[in-house]
Amino acid sequence: ESISVRRLSDEFCVSSTSIVKDLEKVEQELVQQDILLLRTKSGTRISAKEQRIRSAKRKFIFEEIMSLTQQDQIMDLTLCTKLLSRYEQQAVARSMIDIAQEKLGFRLDTNYYAQIFISYSIFIQRIKKGHEITEAPARPVVTELHVLKTYPITEEIVQWLKEEHHISISDLDIRWVNARLSGVY
């Protein structure tokens, strides 16, 4: 969504000049992730492929958690939940993971759990706002064969999302959900 510098200035109780300087730093970080910061008279917003936006959000949250966790320490799920507090659908993300663990007969260690929890929380938030993936990255056939193991479970999760939460997702987003699950499985 577009947001004005003035609104940010008012919300954070700092000068517009400070906001502009901060946005310049944000822009430098986003450009490295192939995300543009668009500034118009109506406000400032980001522009990128949906997959890049999700990835940038995940990276930001993951770096925040790691900066607050001691080196070589297992990720703190309580801290993870607190940092994700702005993502209203955390319970849905947890249930998606629970379904996968039950159906596939495995338990994620804390770090893998946190990684997929962050990804699914962002996913649910973005889908609820109407943001879908519009193009699929090309993957080697070997990778595609690997994700077939988890695909039936992903289909069950997608059906559960539709029935229980009225969330319908595209085929490309189904592949995205499955790739995350396959990655931790």
Side-chain angles (χ1 to χ4, degrees):
E1 331 170 332
S2 287
I3 189 165
S4 70
V5 170
R6 181 171 183 83
R7 184 169 151 210
L8 287 170
S9 175
D10 292 345
E11 188 172 325
F12 293 105
C13 301
V14 296
S15 70
S16 294
T17 305
S18 293
I19 295 294
V20 169
K21 287 181 180 179
D22 286 346
L23 285 174
E24 288 170 0
K25 290 178 183 175
V26 168
E27 186 172 31
Q28 289 172 359
E29 180 68 29
L30 291 176
V31 164
Q32 294 174 12
Q33 298 178 60
D34 201 22
I35 299 174
L36 300 175
L37 193 62
L38 301 177
R39 298 176 195 182
T40 64
K41 288 183 179 181
S42 63
T44 301
R45 66 180 177 85
I46 60 170
S47 175
K49 293 177 183 174
E50 178 60 21
Q51 195 155 343
R52 296 268 187 209
I53 293 170
R54 290 180 193 175
S55 181
K57 283 178 165 259
R58 184 185 166 284
K59 180 181 178 208
F60 175 78
I61 292 167
F62 191 73
E63 286 176 357
E64 280 292 303
I65 292 168
M66 295 314 291
S67 73
L68 298 170
T69 304
Q70 293 179 2
Q71 192 174 14
D72 298 331
Q73 186 180 16
I74 294 174
M75 204 177 291
D76 183 350
L77 286 178
T78 305
L79 177 61
C80 186
T81 301
K82 183 179 175 185
L83 285 173
L84 288 169
S85 64
R86 64 184 164 266
Y87 296 91
E88 300 152 2
Q89 303 295 324
Q90 286 187 43
V92 175
R94 285 186 196 283
S95 293
M96 290 171 69
I97 297 167
D98 291 345
I99 291 168
Q101 289 183 127
E102 178 187 323
K103 298 286 183 177
L104 291 167
F106 74 104
R107 286 279 161 231
L108 292 168
D109 74 18
T110 304
N111 285 335
Y112 282 133
Y113 188 98
Q115 288 178 28
I116 198 167
F117 177 60
I118 291 166
S119 294
Y120 282 178
S121 295
I122 292 167
F123 163 75
I124 294 297
Q125 182 225 32
R126 299 290 296 168
I127 288 294
K128 286 278 218 175
K129 289 185 174 187
H131 301 289
E132 295 180 342
I133 291 179
T134 56
E135 43 183 82
R139 296 203 162 137
V141 174
V142 174
T143 304
E144 290 299 326
L145 291 174
H146 177 69
V147 298
L148 286 176
K149 292 178 183 179
T150 55
Y151 197 82
I153 306 309
T154 299
E155 284 287 338
E156 287 186 44
I157 292 169
V158 167
Q159 190 61 34
W160 174 81
L161 285 170
K162 187 174 184 177
E163 291 172 1
E164 296 293 321
H165 298 282
H166 311 290
I167 299 171
S168 295
I169 61 176
S170 70
D171 288 340
L172 293 175
D173 274 313
I174 292 170
R175 285 179 62 188
W176 185 92
V177 169
N178 190 53
R180 307 293 76 70
L181 178 56
S182 178
V184 297
Y185 180 64

